[in-house]
Amino acid sequence: MDQRVTSGQTGHRSSEGEKALPDVRRSVPRTDVVLRDPRLREAIGRLGTARVRAAVHQAQERARAGTVRPDDVADTAVGLLPRTVTGMRPVINATGVLLHTNLGRASLSAAARQAVLEAAGPTDVELDLDTGVRARRGRTALAALREKVPSAGAVHVVNNGAAALVLVATALAAGREIVISRGEMVEIGDGFRLPDLLVSTGARLREVGTTNRTTAADYAEAVGPDTAFVLKVHPSNFRITGFTRVAEVGELASLDVPVVVDIGSGLLEPHPTLPEEPDAETQLRAGAALVTASGDKLLGGPQCGLLLGRDELVRAVSRHPLARALRVDKLTLAALEATLTGPDTPTAEALAPDRAQLTRRADLLAATLGADGVDVRAVESVATVGGGGAPGVPLPSAALSLPERYAAALRTGPVPVVGRLEAGRCLLDLRAVPADDDDRLADAVRAVVLRGAER
């Protein structure tokens, strides 16, 4: 017998003789009722009304479909909401690469994060509150940078390291020559090549030397009336060993043109763990006229490009029209100043421990997780700086070794953990994991077991 529900019916029969079932749609709570839930009211302040309403509507549809009880609509809506309005998710970096480009390079310190919050509203970024007139943009951040590098006559900040070099080339060498060693014509990542960036400014490149050997005499022979400057680029993501020769800044400082040095990784002063990594202070003392660097690498700050050097050159570069297009916002300036004047950055803290300290952490975590039935053991590991810093320099470390199948489950968990695969095992290297995050790391591993996702 054909059973149809008319517009006046409130239920249906799946077969003759069966009692009419209540229409579940009548018991699904209205949107305005669900939105009175304190958790959802709080979420509106974080995520906006539209996103919260969409989650409520989705939960209501599940209730109408019978996959969620009507009484659980609010709980379901809360569960559907993202943690933040951004699509980016915070992760635990257990790769063993301190400055992982795919993970955003340097983590900001707590002081820098607080500075960003304080700068999010109206600030005196370009206003002198005492006089009420316009002031130099980001003057306190620039003063902090200048204080960190005493040999710099002046400083300037742009939006990334490549931009710093492009601005220098545009302001000083458009239509002229830049002398550069063939061994320093590098690719800086994601397919971007330094020669292409420099040529895009209108400058011409004069290559000298060979891939493995370039002497001071090579530079001297190439310098002429049309030379704007000599450029030295630190090969920050590779090493050439064997029969090699490079001309040091001190050997080139006597040339009749400025020497510009791109140190790349943003180290402002020598670091005992990375004795071969070039730093801004040393290069300027050796005779560099300008130094360019990145702020989100070994400095441990936000993404930005740093220019440091002779006052007249920095002034010429900073007043070029392109400088306006490359300037940084107030949030970057706030984070940079806090990085320079505040406590040690997470990057500095990650460089500090020796293997024994990291091994103790790994042993404790392995024992704790092993007691919970996890197939885990503590192992020695080797970490790296990454992000175009200290290529080929090993950092002794320790890691948790888990079955390979854990890698994907950890990466896609509620608190994503990104490790690395090595010899058929998933390694969670502790070098870049703050000690305060050990409990979170352990909980993420336990969550994999509870979800059964490791099988």
Side-chain angles (χ1 to χ4, degrees):
M1 179 177 178
D2 185 18
Q3 301 290 332
R4 288 186 172 86
V5 178
T6 67
S7 59
Q9 291 176 306
T10 60
H12 70 278
R13 296 177 185 273
S14 58
S15 61
E16 191 170 354
E18 198 173 52
K19 291 184 178 180
L21 296 174
D23 188 344
V24 72
R25 292 174 297 180
R26 292 185 178 274
S27 33
V28 174
R30 298 194 317 269
T31 300
D32 62 326
V33 173
V34 179
L35 288 174
R36 292 173 192 160
D37 187 290
R39 297 168 298 173
L40 295 173
R41 291 204 307 270
E42 183 275 334
I44 288 174
R46 287 187 296 109
L47 306 172
T49 302
R51 185 166 296 199
V52 175
R53 278 184 173 274
V56 171
H57 293 162
Q58 190 176 349
Q60 289 170 324
E61 287 302 316
R62 292 186 182 184
R64 294 184 184 107
T67 59
V68 168
R69 294 189 313 138
D71 290 345
D72 293 335
V73 166
D75 290 342
T76 302
V78 171
L80 291 171
L81 291 172
R83 182 172 171 270
T84 66
V85 292
T86 177
M88 291 186 290
R89 298 177 63 190
V91 306
I92 295 178
N93 176 15
T95 62
V97 181
L98 272 58
L99 303 171
H100 200 300
T101 298
N102 295 349
L103 301 180
R105 292 183 178 161
S107 296
L108 294 181
S109 65
R113 297 181 192 192
Q114 182 60 38
V116 169
L117 289 176
E118 292 177 357
T123 71
D124 61 344
V125 64
E126 263 183 72
L127 178 68
D128 185 327
L129 295 176
D130 291 331
T131 64
V133 300
R134 187 169 188 167
R136 187 182 184 192
R137 183 180 181 83
R139 57 201 176 281
T140 55
L142 296 174
L145 179 58
R146 170 71 180 77
E147 187 175 344
K148 276 287 186 179
V149 187
S151 295
V155 299
H156 185 63
V157 180
V158 292
N159 56 12
N160 64 27
L165 195 52
V166 164
L167 181 58
V168 171
T170 303
L172 304 182
R176 302 181 67 193
E177 282 186 351
I178 298 172
V179 176
I180 182 173
S181 169
R182 285 187 175 89
E184 297 174 6
M185 305 274 276
V186 303
E187 183 173 308
I188 58 177
D190 198 26
F192 288 98
R193 294 178 173 176
L194 187 67
D196 297 337
L197 288 175
L198 294 171
V199 170
S200 73
T201 69
R204 301 187 305 276
L205 300 185
R206 177 77 179 272
E207 301 176 36
V208 298
T210 63
T211 302
N212 59 318
R213 290 179 67 83
T214 305
T215 67
D218 293 323
Y219 290 96
E221 290 173 7
V223 168
D226 209 27
T227 302
F229 59 81
V230 165
L231 175 63
K232 279 195 63 62
V233 179
H234 175 54
S236 57
N237 53 10
F238 69 96
R239 269 192 171 187
I240 298 177
T241 60
F243 187 56
T244 62
R245 173 76 165 86
V246 296
E248 301 297 337
V249 172
E251 299 178 81
L252 305 176
S254 61
L255 297 174
D256 293 333
V257 295
V259 178
V260 177
V261 182
D262 178 24
I263 62 172
S265 67
L267 201 60
L268 299 186
E269 56 190 0
H271 194 288
T273 304
L274 309 170
E276 296 183 19
E277 189 71 7
D279 64 275
E281 177 67 16
T282 300
Q283 298 302 310
L284 289 170
R285 285 187 178 183
L290 283 177
V291 169
T292 63
S294 295
D296 58 343
K297 297 180 181 178
L298 285 172
L299 178 59
Q303 177 179 296
C304 59
L306 312 178
L307 295 95
L308 314 99
R310 293 183 194 167
D311 183 73
E312 72 277 8
L313 293 179
V314 173
R315 188 184 309 113
V317 168
S318 65
R319 297 312 302 167
H320 189 278
L322 183 61
R324 171 75 180 198
L326 301 178
R327 77 176 190 178
V328 293
D329 71 340
K330 61 182 180 179
L331 304 183
T332 301
L333 289 167
L336 175 61
E337 182 176 357
T339 298
L340 293 165
T341 62
D344 282 348
T345 66
T347 301
E349 291 175 347
L351 286 170
D354 57 25
R355 175 171 276 165
Q357 293 171 290
L358 297 170
T359 297
R360 284 193 291 272
R361 288 173 56 194
D363 287 341
L364 180 59
L365 282 166
T368 301
L369 291 169
D372 294 335
V374 179
D375 177 7
V376 60
R377 60 179 182 267
V379 297
E380 290 188 348
S381 179
V382 177
T384 59
V385 171
V393 177
L395 299 175
S397 188
L400 299 179
S401 175
L402 297 158
E404 183 176 355
R405 60 183 178 271
Y406 273 76
L410 284 166
R411 197 175 60 248
T412 57
V415 177
V417 177
V418 184
R420 72 176 188 268
L421 295 178
E422 192 172 292
R425 300 282 289 183
C426 169
L427 295 190
L428 304 182
D429 193 298
L430 299 183
R431 171 67 75 166
V433 180
D436 290 345
D437 275 351
D438 282 357
D439 288 343
R440 292 178 65 225
L441 182 65
D443 288 342
V445 174
R446 292 189 190 98
V448 171
V449 178
L450 291 174
R451 297 196 328 263
E454 88 287 4
R455 295 187 177 88

